[in-house]
Each structure stands twice: as structure tokens, then as C-alpha cells.
């Protein structure tokens, strides 16, 4: 099949994911970017653009004219770890307002849940027990965000607007209004000092694998909270259970797990102080993602650099 510069078809290579909502979203929002769902035996040689959540190596190797891979999500560790994807193909992380908005909403929801210790009220009501509960004002509550990127900085801004004290940790120093920025491994201890609610929004890389562990918990005040909405691989699960047992942590919210779905019988399922969501802290919204992908394809075609391209050396 011949390849033309005008061919904007986007090949969706799924690994069990549904694309039902994506086809109409592209038809409505980006009609000049036809969204084509891969089917077995399809001739894919002419496609210049693909969108992938989980890699499917046999298909990727047939994409001889591929120019760009769009990750269906913000986290692209699986795509970066797939040796069948040639290094020359840029992998664009998903950055779109629906995904950011959903994460900001989740972080605010869970921060308030723990700030107001709503779980304590739920426990008391189940036992028909009146509880005299004290909670500090938001400006007396220190939140710490691991990862001040697209999602972390958006969450930080909303928490500040809400009145919380917020600090953030990233590789490079950031400037987000009223958010104290800490950068690099050497500033992690200063960042952790006094953090009562620790939110993880880091990418999963060789450097961040297992980063939320006993060493981190032991630097937080007694009775702190963990919210992990990034990747299960960031968390040392045994250390979390121990920290909850010792009271170092009062509770944790987890959206992501080492193995998903979380296996039957896993100790997290019935833990009274672990609150779980099924890796849906946020979702990529097909309508807003279609607008973003069209914008990126237009940049690419007019010779402008793509944005949000994952860096293979950094791993995100
Ligand atoms: P970004 O790449 O925009 O931000 C990542 C942040 O982490 C950056 O501030 C970066 O620092 C920082 N960082 C990376 N490595 C280190 C390190 N070794 N030490 C200190 N800081 C580090 O990513 P997004 O905000 O878009 O997404 C973050 C993650 O959220 C995704 O990778 C994904 O895993 C997760 N996610 C989860 C979802 C869910 O539903 N549960 C939904 C969407 C995303 P710097 O800015 O200096 O580069
Ligand atoms: C993502 C996710 O990385 O949904 O976007 O986990």
C-alpha cells in the first residue's frame, strides 16, 4: 500500500481494550483523523500514526511507515519497555484536559476524605456511635505531592486554591504559585518533613520503582496518609502494611497495584484503613483526546516538534 503525506488514519492497537467510545469521538471531534481499530490480518503497512495503551509487539513490527505512537494514557512505561518499538518512533504521552481534570478531582476528593477523616465518621456510624471529631483547617494541613508534572502541578494548584499547604517534589525545580518546590533525591528528606498527606503522581521508572517504602514512611509524622494514584510499582506493599500496623500511617488510598486486577485474597482487600479504587483515578476522555491528537498531528505535519514526547533515557 502506498503512503501519502495526507494519510492521517490513526490505528488503534488494543490488547483487549474497547474502542467503542473512541470511534464516534474522533468522527465528531477530528473527522480528518479516521480512528481505525486493528483487526487480525489487516494490512497495516501504510499507517503513519498509532494509538496504544498496552503494547502488542507482533502488530507494531508490521508498521513499516509508522511516524508517531500516541500513548492512550499519561504513563508510558510499558511502551518504553517494549523492545519491538524502534527508538526512532516518538512516543507521545497523553496530556489532555479530561485526564488532568479527572486526576485533580480524585486528589481533591481523597485529600478531603482523609483531611476530614470521613472514614472515622463512617466507622462510627456503622457502630451507631456519636463521635466528637476535631479536624484542622486546610491551611494547617501539609500536603506533599511526589511528582509536580502535568497532573501533580494541576492537583497542587487546586489544593492551594482550596487553602491547603502544599509542597511538591520533582527532578527539576518548579515554580507553582504558593507551592514549595523540592528537587532531586538529595531534597527528598526535606520535602517529606511534616507531610501529613502524601500524594504520589510520579511516573514509574527505574529511579521511582519502590520509592514509597519504609524509608519514606519513617520520615512522615505519625498518623500520616498515603494517596497513590500513579503506579502500583511505586509502592512497597509489605512496608505499607507495616506502617499502617504501627500507626505511622493512619490510612491509605490506593488506585493502582502491582498486579491488576488486585488478586483475590490480597491483604489490601479487607484492610479497614485501605481505601481502593480500580485504577480509575482518572480516565482519558476520547472527545478531548481526539482534539489533542489532531492538534499534535497538525504540528507534526507542519514541521513543528511534537509535544509531550517521552524521553527514553529518563524513562518518562
Ligand atoms: P509528567 O511526566 O508530566 O510528570 C512527572 C513528574 O514526576 C515530573 O514533575 C517529574 O520531574 C517527576 N519525576 C520523574 N522522575 C522523578 C524522579 N526520579 N525524582 C523526582 N521527580 C521525578 O507525568 P504526568 O503528571 O502526566 O503523569 C504522572 C503519572 O501519573 C503517570 O506516569 C502515570 O503513571 C500516572 N497516572 C495515573 C492515572 C490513574 O488513573 N491512576 C491516570 C494518569 C496518570 P520533572 O518535572 O523535573 O521532569
Ligand atoms: C494513565 C493511566 O497512565 O490511566 O493515563 O493510568
Amino acid at each position: 500500500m502506498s503512503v501519502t503525506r495526507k494519510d492521517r488514519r490513526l490505528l488503534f492497537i488494543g490488547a483487549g481494550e474497547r474502542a467503542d467510545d473512541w470511534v464516534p469521538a474522533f468522527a465528531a471531534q477530528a473527522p480528518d483523523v479516521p480512528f481505525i481499530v486493528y483487526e487480525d490480518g489487516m494490512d497495516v503497512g501504510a499507517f503513519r500514526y498509532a494509538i496504544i495503551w498496552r503494547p502488542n509487539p507482533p502488530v507494531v513490527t508490521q508498521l513499516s511507515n509508522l511516524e508517531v505512537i500516541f500513548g492512550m494514557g499519561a504513563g508510558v512505561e510499558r511502551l518504553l519497555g517494549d523492545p519491538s518499538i524502534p527508538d526512532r518512533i516518538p512516543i507521545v504521552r497523553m496530556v489532555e484536559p479530561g485526564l488532568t481534570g479527572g486526576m485533580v478531582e480524585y486528589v481533591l476528593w481523597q485529600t478531603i476524605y482523609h483531611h476530614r477523616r470521613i472514614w472515622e465518621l463512617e466507622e462510627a456510624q456503622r457502630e451507631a456511635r456519636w463521635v466528637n471529631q476535631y479536624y484542622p483547617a486546610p491551611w494547617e494541613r501539609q500536603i506533599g505531592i511526589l511528582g509536580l508534572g502535568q497532573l501533580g502541578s494541576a492537583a497542587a494548584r487546586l489544593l492551594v486554591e482550596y487553602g491547603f499547604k502544599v509542597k511538591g517534589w520533582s527532578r527539576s525545580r518548579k515554580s507553582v504559585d504558593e507551592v514549595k518546590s523540592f528537587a532531586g533525591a538529595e531534597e527528598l528528606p526535606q520535602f517529606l518533613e511534616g507531610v501529613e498527606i502524601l500524594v504520589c503522581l510520579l511516573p514509574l521508572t527505574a529511579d521511582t520503582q519502590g520509592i514509597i517504602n519504609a524509608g519514606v514512611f519513617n520520615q512522615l509524622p505519625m498518623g500520616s496518609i498515603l494517596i497513590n494514584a500513579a503506579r502500583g510499582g511505586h509502592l512497597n506493599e509489605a512496608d505499607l502494611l507495616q506502617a499502617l500496623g504501627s500507626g505511622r500511617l493512619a490510612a491509605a488510598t490506593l488506585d493502582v497495584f502491582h498486579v491488576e486486577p488486585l488478586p483475590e485474597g490480597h491483604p489490601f482487600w479487607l484492610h479497614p484503613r485501605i481505601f481502593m479504587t480500580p485504577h480509575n483515578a482518572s480516565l482519558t476522555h476520547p472527545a478531548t483526546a481526539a482534539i489533542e491528537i489532531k492538534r499534535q498531528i497538525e504540528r507534526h505535519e507542519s514541521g513543528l516538534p511534537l509535544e509531550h514526547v517521552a524521553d527514553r533515557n529518563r524513562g518518562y
Side-chain angles (χ1 to χ4, degrees):
M1 203 185 278
S2 68
V3 181
T4 69
R5 293 295 299 164
K6 294 264 178 272
D7 190 346
R8 287 183 167 183
R9 289 173 307 149
L10 178 66
L11 182 66
F12 169 65
I13 304 172
E17 300 85 33
R18 290 164 57 249
D20 308 13
D21 302 338
W22 288 79
V23 178
F26 270 78
Q29 304 297 336
D32 54 344
V33 181
F35 189 94
I36 311 292
V37 179
Y38 174 77
E39 284 168 20
D40 281 344
M42 187 183 262
D43 178 359
V44 294
F47 281 91
R48 299 163 64 212
Y49 305 112
I51 179 164
I52 308 179
W53 172 235
R54 254 180 290 259
N56 183 341
V59 186
V60 173
T61 53
Q62 295 163 29
L63 294 164
S64 45
N65 283 295
L66 191 61
E67 290 175 28
V68 183
I69 290 179
F70 293 97
M72 213 160 196
V76 289
E77 70 283 355
R78 280 184 296 233
L79 294 171
L80 291 174
D82 178 0
S84 67
I85 300 177
D87 285 357
R88 70 174 177 82
I89 309 287
I91 297 174
V92 174
R93 299 184 328 95
M94 184 57 74
V95 176
E96 61 90 8
L99 185 62
T100 304
M103 186 57 84
V104 165
E105 179 180 274
Y106 184 86
V107 171
L108 182 64
W109 167 42
Q110 284 302 311
T111 299
I112 290 173
Y113 186 70
H114 292 295
H115 166 64
R116 297 287 292 256
R117 295 170 87 89
I118 291 169
W119 40 271
E120 205 170 73
L121 302 179
E122 289 169 344
E123 276 170 23
Q125 186 176 352
R126 272 197 299 276
E127 294 162 12
R129 182 165 49 81
W130 189 266
V131 63
N132 290 316
Q133 195 203 43
Y134 165 80
Y135 50 87
W139 54 88
E140 295 168 325
R141 181 74 83 189
Q142 182 67 64
I143 317 293
I145 303 183
L146 293 165
L148 265 191
Q150 294 291 333
L151 303 178
S153 55
R157 277 187 212 102
L158 187 70
L159 293 171
V160 163
E161 199 178 311
Y162 205 81
F164 288 108
K165 285 193 284 183
V166 184
K167 49 179 162 171
W169 183 69
S170 42
R171 274 186 7 147
S172 52
R173 185 118 18 235
K174 301 286 171 212
S175 165
V176 180
D177 267 3
E178 293 184 53
V179 176
K180 186 140 201 260
S181 161
F182 295 81
E186 54 297 344
E187 292 186 11
L188 184 59
Q190 281 166 271
F191 161 78
L192 292 170
E193 209 179 297
V195 167
E196 299 168 88
I197 300 182
L198 180 69
V199 179
C200 180
L201 285 172
L202 287 166
L204 187 61
T205 67
D207 290 336
T208 65
Q209 176 87 31
I211 193 166
I212 313 172
N213 57 32
V216 161
F217 297 141
N218 290 338
Q219 293 177 68
L220 302 176
M222 288 301 284
S224 297
I225 302 292
L226 168 70
I227 299 173
N228 184 16
R231 286 292 182 264
H234 288 125
L235 177 66
N236 181 316
E237 296 190 343
D239 288 2
L240 173 66
L241 291 171
Q242 183 149 27
L244 287 166
S246 70
R248 172 66 62 182
L249 287 191
T253 287
L254 305 177
D255 181 58
V256 285
F257 305 90
H258 278 254
V259 178
E260 294 177 1
L262 188 67
E264 210 183 303
H266 192 287
F268 287 176
W269 277 119
L270 297 178
H271 196 292
R273 290 290 167 81
I274 294 181
F275 306 95
M276 296 192 288
T277 45
H279 196 151
N280 70 350
S282 188
L283 302 171
T284 300
H285 289 265
T288 34
I291 294 168
E292 168 61 13
I293 289 173
K294 175 180 156 70
R295 186 185 73 84
Q296 291 264 31
I297 288 178
E298 283 166 358
R299 284 181 70 84
H300 178 66
E301 288 180 350
S302 55
L304 291 168
L306 291 160
E307 294 174 346
H308 316 304
V309 176
D311 178 328
R312 286 187 158 79
N313 295 320
R314 292 187 321 184
Y316 65 99

